[in-house]
């Protein structure tokens, strides 16, 4: 197999076919011809000594390219963290910064214009500036500033990474505001959800009754995170109202492309010492995010005189987000809480009515530069609630907690430095964006769960209301007290659910989160959300944990590992009997394929033929059931309901016997047709087993053959604990198994720690991730430091 440098040499010599370098999906197709500069990127070496305006620090890399950074104080540490982030992930950081600022097209051309228009209208950059204003001057702000200085030190000393050469541009200096943009991107990716607009669009097309069935506010299940009322558990949830109408179908379809994708979520659990072999807790976390080359996360180990911490950071952010320190470990999953509202207004020209007065939009016009194409102008309008999003004459105002300043950086710094549960919980109280399910366990045997994040209490005429509708902004419906878009919120306002009232549990003996509904009881004081994930994973997780506890055999880290790699699909257990029952309506070819599902154990494993059939069938069945009617209604297929809705439509559902558009349809015939479609796809693609389809197709943003990761067959599906979503590129973006019995915790990335294509650590963890293997979280180190940071020092010879 050729080495990476051999491939680059072949590119330089014209010896690699055009198919290798042709961008396939992302549209980042403008790159400069390879030159001597690119070869320089392949042969650069990191300097041994780096000058710093702070104190001394050292960097040692382990055999997987994971750095241990040791320093005498925080500023020295985070300067070194910034330098290392830039050395290994500068292009990734710059790409996120450009996306959030709406400046991608200036580098990559026409393909990202729509993205830039959306991000300019949202004005995430102004929100990031407000965040930095709040943070600056605090210890966390000083750490962020030191980190930015470290990034720029790398920029000044080193030649730009390969991707900048291919696009033929130089990155701008890094600023603390850019680090805040990284945080805003993370928050948007987890809470940027237009569920109420989507539901209203479906109601406009099919009627409110149909919308309530195919876009339900509440899934019928009993696998909530907090499963019962107990004295040590606080509850908060609410009741639903009417979806209403919007007349904003084009806008909803457009915005669907910028929402957090279906499946972005995570698994986590804590098991108290009363149920474990060691008598100490177990904690596990695997966040399900977009699988990228390089990965979303960057592994690090930080050492200071008063504490050490290991885990993963977001490149561009200085602190460890998920991991463990000397006292305990913590993890996060998306809580799915509703922190975004949309508003309709009475508009007259450049004014909108708000209560008894007419107000002018806060308006400005910006130019979106487009490399190699025509520049665009975009009008940015804002109301009292936030940005006004516009598409083909349709307009809605948006309020989102991420548009106001938050204290999350202070919270994560506090977690890194926490010395036990009390300090960790105090830190979590400042975790404002995004809303998360936080789990914690420590070496003293304590466990804890808490929902975090600013959650608005909407009020209309002084009465609290649910956020499950489009509000009449002109009538001042759904107002948030204490909210200041692009400014500093009033954290003490009664417009937010108090931290102590958010769902939480002290010392839970067993608690599991998988993005399902947070609480079991709907009749509670606060409205939290109507947009939770389907409970496939949550049900399976609690089923397995309950079985393990009931077996009266103490749980071990091996049990946690088996749970994290569990491939049992509850969708298959529910629906395979329905497929088999429809066999009489199938053709011979389809029937023979359906027969593959007989006696299947519902595990989505790479060697299974039945898993292949079921996975492909689901997509074809979804399109058969929903596609024609959504097309006829002029609705974007991005709005099609999820698998929970699809698989719970029984044969007598009005969607089949009395559809809102067209003639009645037999579910049995749609099942048979979907199996026939599946057979045709299998024949066309030459698939034999699930692993032929379910592969680690993790691509670089350029989607160039030589930059993409290798493809390996793996287990799992969108609904299994071992989470893989091939079609959307979502999956377990990091796996952590934390323990406190004297043995090292374990972790693995889906790729490699180094974003440099020429590094040995570009994708060296991918095979282990695909095969369900792990490495020690805390590295074992030998030898001298790779990098030394010295005050006033310079390059070594």
């Amino acid at each position: 197999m050729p080495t990476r440098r051999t491939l680059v040499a072949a590119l330089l010599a014209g010896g690699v076919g055009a198919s290798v370098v042709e961008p396939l999906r992302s549209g980042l197709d403008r790159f400069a011809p390879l030159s001597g500069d690119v070869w320089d990127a392949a042969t650069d070496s990191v300097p041994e000594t780096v000058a710093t305006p702070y104190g001394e620090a050292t960097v040692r890399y382990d055999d997987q390219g994971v750095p241990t950074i040791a320093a005498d104080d925080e500023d020295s540490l985070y300067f070194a963290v910034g330098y290392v982030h830039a050395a290994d992930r500068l292009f990734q950081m710059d790409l996120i910064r450009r996306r959030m600022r709406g400046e991608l097209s200036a580098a990559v051309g026409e393909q990202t214009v729509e993205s830039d228009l959306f991000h300019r209208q949202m004005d995430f950059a102004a929100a990031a500036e407000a965040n930095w204003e709040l943070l600056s001057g605090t210890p966390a702000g000083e750490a962020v500033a030191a980190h930015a200085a470290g990034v720029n030190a790398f920029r000044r000393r080193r030649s730009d990474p390969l991707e900048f050469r291919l696009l033929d541009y130089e990155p701008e200096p890094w600023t603390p505001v850019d680090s805040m943009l990284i945080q805003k991107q993370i928050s948007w990716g987890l809470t940027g959800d237009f569920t109420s607009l989507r539901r209203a669009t479906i109601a406009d097309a099919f009627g409110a009754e149909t919308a309530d069935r195919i876009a339900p506010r509440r899934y019928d299940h009993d696998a909530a995170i907090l499963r019962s009322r107990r004295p040590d558990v606080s509850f908060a949830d609410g009741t639903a109202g009417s979806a209403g109408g919007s007349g904003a179908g084009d806008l909803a379809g457009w915005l669907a492309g910028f929402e957090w994708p279906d499946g972005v979520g995570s698994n986590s659990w804590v098991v108290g010492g009363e149920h474990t072999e060691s008598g100490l807790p177990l904690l596990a976390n695997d966040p399900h995010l977009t699988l990228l080359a390089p990965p979303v996360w960057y592994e690090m180990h930080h050492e200071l005189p008063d504490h050490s911490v290991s885990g993963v950071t977001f490149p561009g952010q200085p602190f460890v987000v998920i991991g463990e320190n000397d006292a305990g470990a913590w993890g996060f999953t998306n809580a799915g809480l509703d922190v975004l509202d949309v508003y309709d207004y009475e508009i007259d020209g450049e004014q909108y009515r708000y209560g008894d007065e007419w107000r002018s939009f806060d308006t400005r016009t910006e130019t979106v530069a487009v490399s190699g194409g025509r520049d665009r102008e975009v009008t940015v309008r804002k109301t009292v609630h936030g940005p006004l999003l516009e598409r083909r004459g349709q307009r809605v105002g948006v309020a989102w907690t991420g548009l106001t300043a938050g204290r999350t950086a202070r919270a994560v710094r506090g977690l890194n430095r926490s010395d036990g549960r009390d300090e960790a919980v105090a830190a979590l109280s400042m975790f404002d964006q995004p809303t998360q399910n936080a789990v914690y366990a420590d070496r003293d045997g304590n466990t804890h769960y808490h929902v975090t994040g600013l959650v608005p209490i909407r009020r209309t005429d002084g009465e609290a209301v649910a956020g499950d509708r489009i509000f009449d902004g002109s009538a001042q419906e759904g107002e948030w007290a204490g909210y200041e878009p692009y400014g500093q919120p009033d954290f003490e306002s009664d417009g937010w659910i108090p931290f102590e009232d958010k769902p939480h549990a002290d010392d839970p003996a067993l608690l599991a989160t998988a993005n399902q509904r947070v609480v079991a009881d709907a009749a509670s004081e606060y409205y939290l959300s109507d947009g939770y994930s389907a409970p496939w994973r949550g049900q399976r997780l609690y089923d397995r944990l309950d079985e393990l506890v009931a077996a009266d055999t103490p749980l071990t880290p091996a049990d946690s590992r088996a749970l994290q790699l569990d491939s049992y699909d509850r969708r298959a257990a529910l629906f395979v009997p329905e497929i088999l029952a429809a066999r009489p309506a199938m053709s011979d070819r389809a029937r023979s394929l359906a027969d593959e599902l007989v006696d299947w154990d519902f595990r989505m494993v790479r060697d299974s033929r039945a898993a292949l059939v079921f996975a492909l069938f689901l997509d074809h069945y979804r399109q058969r059931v929903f596609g024609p009617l959504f097309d006829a209604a002029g609705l974007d297929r991005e709005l099609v309901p999820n698998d929970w809705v699809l698989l719970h439509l029984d044969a007598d559902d009005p969607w089949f016997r009395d559809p809102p558009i067209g003639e009645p349809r037999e579910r049995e015939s749609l099942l048979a047709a979907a199996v026939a479609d599946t057979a045709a796809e299998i024949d066309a693609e030459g698939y034999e087993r699930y692993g032929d389809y379910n592969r680690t197709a993790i691509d670089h943003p350029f989607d160039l053959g030589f930059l993409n990761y290798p493809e390996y067959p793996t287990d799992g599906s969108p609904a299994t604990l071992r989470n893989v979503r091939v079609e959307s590129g979502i999956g377990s973006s990091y796996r952590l198994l934390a323990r406190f019995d004297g043995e090292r915790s374990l972790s693995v990335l889906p790729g490699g720690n180094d974003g440099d294509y020429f590094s040995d650590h570009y994708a060296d963890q991918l095979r282990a991730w695909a095969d369900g293997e792990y490495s020690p979280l805390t590295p074992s180190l030998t030898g001298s430091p790779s990098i030394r940071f010295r005050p006033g020092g310079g390059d070594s010879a």
Side-chain angles (χ1 to χ4, degrees):
M1 184 175 182
T3 66
R4 296 189 178 95
R5 287 179 174 80
T6 301
L7 277 174
V8 171
L11 283 165
L12 289 168
V16 174
S19 63
V20 175
V21 297
E22 180 184 2
L24 300 177
R25 290 196 299 270
S26 68
L28 301 183
D29 62 352
R30 177 183 174 271
F31 56 90
L34 291 169
S35 66
D37 287 341
V38 173
W39 185 256
D40 290 342
T43 57
D44 281 344
S45 60
V46 178
E48 183 180 6
T49 304
V50 177
T52 172
Y54 304 104
E56 293 191 359
T58 60
V59 179
R60 288 178 168 87
Y61 287 92
D62 71 3
D63 57 5
Q64 290 188 321
V66 177
T68 292
I69 302 180
D72 291 337
D73 59 71
E74 283 194 89
D75 289 344
S76 305
L77 173 74
Y78 294 122
F79 179 89
V81 170
Y83 189 94
V84 169
H85 272 169
D88 290 345
R89 300 289 189 90
L90 182 58
F91 179 72
Q92 180 183 32
M93 293 160 58
D94 188 69
L95 203 65
I96 295 172
R97 166 174 65 173
R98 282 184 168 274
R99 180 185 302 119
M100 294 303 287
R101 289 187 180 277
E103 297 175 354
L104 272 176
S105 302
V108 305
E110 294 278 353
Q111 292 77 8
T112 55
V113 167
E114 291 297 323
S115 172
D116 283 350
L117 295 177
F118 167 76
H119 286 86
R120 294 293 184 98
Q121 287 185 32
M122 286 294 294
D123 201 3
F124 293 109
E129 289 168 0
N131 218 113
W132 175 239
E133 183 179 345
L134 178 68
L135 188 65
S136 61
T138 68
E142 292 170 0
V144 170
H147 176 274
V151 173
N152 290 320
F154 174 83
R155 286 182 56 261
R156 288 191 298 270
R157 295 168 51 84
R158 310 303 299 141
S159 56
D160 295 333
L162 171 67
E163 292 90 342
F164 294 107
R165 319 291 184 81
L166 294 174
L167 286 173
D168 193 24
Y169 80 90
E170 295 183 4
E172 296 293 324
W174 192 262
T175 72
V177 173
D178 294 328
S179 291
M180 299 299 97
L181 274 173
I182 299 288
Q183 181 181 307
K184 296 300 180 186
Q185 188 268 341
I186 296 159
S187 296
W188 179 258
L190 294 170
T191 62
D193 178 35
F194 292 98
T195 294
S196 57
L197 181 60
R198 201 162 51 246
R199 183 178 292 119
T201 301
I202 293 172
D204 282 343
F206 300 134
E209 182 179 342
T210 298
D212 286 342
R213 287 201 327 280
I214 69 170
R217 295 171 180 80
R218 190 176 184 86
Y219 299 124
D220 184 16
H221 68 87
D222 59 0
I225 293 171
L226 296 175
R227 297 190 284 182
S228 64
R229 284 187 182 273
R230 301 200 315 265
D232 61 338
V233 175
S234 296
F235 288 85
D237 207 350
T239 56
S242 171
S246 71
D250 285 342
L251 182 62
W254 182 62
L255 292 176
F258 306 112
E259 290 182 277
W260 52 284
D262 181 41
V264 169
S266 309
N267 303 323
S268 71
W269 57 90
V270 285
V271 181
E274 58 265 50
H275 293 312
T276 68
E277 185 178 69
S278 67
L280 292 169
L282 294 171
L283 180 147
N285 189 201
D286 57 298
H288 307 158
L289 301 171
T290 303
L291 301 179
L292 300 171
V296 170
W297 301 99
Y298 183 86
E299 292 183 291
M300 305 190 89
H301 179 67
H302 299 170
E303 290 187 354
L304 286 168
D306 58 348
H307 78 278
S308 65
V309 58
S310 299
V312 285
T313 61
F314 286 114
Q317 291 268 302
F319 310 114
V320 170
V321 179
I322 295 172
E324 66 178 18
N325 63 10
D326 302 320
W330 57 91
F332 295 99
T333 65
N334 197 19
L337 303 194
D338 186 354
V339 296
L340 183 151
D341 282 341
V342 292
Y343 299 83
D344 198 8
Y345 304 100
E346 184 180 345
I347 294 175
D348 183 6
E350 286 300 311
Q351 291 187 317
Y352 67 101
R353 187 173 67 81
Y354 183 66
D356 295 331
E357 62 180 345
W358 286 87
R359 297 191 177 190
S360 296
F361 293 111
D362 179 359
T363 303
R364 69 177 185 272
T365 300
E366 298 182 358
T367 299
V368 174
V370 181
S371 178
R374 177 177 59 86
D375 292 351
R376 308 291 205 278
E377 284 194 349
V378 57
T379 300
V380 180
R381 292 185 175 88
K382 297 176 182 177
T383 73
V384 66
H385 300 110
L388 189 75
L389 300 183
E390 305 180 67
R391 179 74 168 178
R392 296 176 182 171
Q394 299 168 348
R395 300 174 173 181
V396 293
V398 175
W400 175 55
T401 54
L403 293 178
T404 194
R407 301 163 294 177
T408 300
R410 292 175 61 187
V412 181
R413 175 183 177 271
L415 278 174
N416 285 205
R417 299 181 61 85
S418 61
D419 187 22
R421 183 177 61 189
D422 290 348
E423 290 187 5
V425 173
L428 290 172
S429 70
M430 295 185 292
F431 198 106
D432 295 324
Q433 304 146 7
T435 53
Q436 296 283 282
N437 298 303
V439 292
Y440 178 84
D442 64 27
R443 287 170 173 79
D444 291 332
N446 301 304
T447 58
H448 188 78
Y449 163 80
H450 219 119
V451 168
T452 72
L454 288 176
V455 183
I457 301 173
R458 293 99 167 155
R459 290 187 173 91
T460 299
D461 296 329
E463 296 294 324
V465 296
D468 59 352
R469 68 202 72 180
I470 296 175
F471 289 115
D472 185 340
S474 291
Q476 297 180 312
E477 293 180 349
E479 294 292 284
W480 301 4
Y483 171 65
E484 182 65 35
Y486 310 107
Q488 314 299 317
D490 180 358
F491 295 110
E492 303 305 318
S493 166
D494 64 1
W496 312 108
I497 298 177
F499 180 72
E500 59 272 16
D501 288 349
K502 291 169 188 168
H504 65 274
D506 284 325
D507 286 320
L510 188 71
L511 187 139
T513 86
N515 317 117
Q516 75 271 44
R517 187 167 63 246
V518 173
V519 296
D521 192 336
S524 299
E525 182 178 358
Y526 300 107
Y527 164 80
L528 288 181
S529 181
D530 61 345
Y532 298 113
S533 293
W536 308 112
R537 289 177 289 111
Q539 289 175 323
R540 175 62 176 173
L541 186 49
Y542 265 129
D543 284 351
R544 287 294 297 126
L545 285 168
D546 288 344
E547 289 170 5
L548 289 167
V549 170
D552 205 26
T553 301
L555 275 69
T556 69
D559 293 318
S560 269
R561 176 174 176 168
L563 275 174
Q564 214 164 58
L565 302 178
D566 185 272
S567 61
Y568 182 88
D569 196 319
R570 290 182 61 95
R571 300 173 307 171
L574 171 71
F575 209 70
V576 163
E578 304 292 328
I579 300 172
L580 296 178
R583 282 181 293 177
M586 297 179 190
S587 65
D588 290 345
R589 174 71 179 95
R591 190 180 307 114
S592 67
L593 197 66
D595 287 343
E596 301 279 359
L597 302 175
V598 176
D599 297 328
W600 178 38
D601 63 1
F602 311 132
R603 296 183 185 277
M604 305 296 287
V605 294
R606 67 194 75 181
D607 293 331
S608 171
R609 173 80 168 175
L612 170 68
V613 173
F614 182 72
L616 299 183
F617 161 81
L618 270 181
D619 185 59
H620 290 297
Y621 182 55
R622 183 184 306 106
Q623 297 309 320
R624 287 278 182 175
V625 170
F626 293 119
L629 273 64
F630 272 65
D631 290 345
L635 296 185
D636 195 302
R637 289 203 179 190
E638 294 279 355
L639 305 178
V640 165
N642 65 21
D643 287 346
W644 180 269
V645 173
L646 174 70
L647 300 183
H648 281 83
L649 291 176
D650 62 38
D652 197 42
D653 191 278
W655 187 259
F656 299 117
R657 62 174 171 78
D658 186 22
I661 296 175
E663 300 297 322
R665 301 174 298 162
E666 291 291 332
R667 189 186 69 160
E668 185 180 69
S669 65
L670 296 179
L671 280 168
V675 177
D677 295 340
T678 302
E681 182 177 0
I682 287 174
D683 292 344
E685 297 293 337
Y687 294 142
E688 293 291 338
R689 298 289 183 266
Y690 186 49
D692 298 334
Y693 161 78
N694 201 61
R695 303 178 68 84
T696 60
I698 303 174
D699 297 336
H700 186 278
F702 285 176
D703 200 8
L704 296 176
F706 73 97
L707 287 176
N708 295 341
Y709 282 170
E711 294 189 4
Y712 302 126
T714 191
D715 304 338
S717 79
T720 61
L721 294 177
R722 186 170 184 167
N723 200 252
V724 178
R725 300 170 181 258
V726 171
E727 295 302 324
S728 59
I730 303 290
S732 297
S733 63
Y734 177 65
R735 295 187 184 124
L736 170 68
L737 298 173
R739 58 195 296 182
F740 306 100
D741 58 0
E743 299 294 327
R744 287 188 290 176
S745 299
L746 301 175
S747 67
V748 67
L749 281 177
N753 214 40
D754 197 337
D756 178 1
Y757 169 73
F758 303 104
S759 168
D760 292 336
H761 308 299
Y762 185 66
D764 59 333
Q765 297 186 52
L766 181 60
R767 171 76 80 173
W769 178 89
D771 291 343
E773 299 172 0
Y774 298 76
S775 298
L777 176 65
T778 306
S780 297
L781 299 171
T782 59
S784 301
S786 301
I787 311 174
R788 295 181 184 273
F789 296 88
R790 291 178 175 169
D795 293 351
S796 62

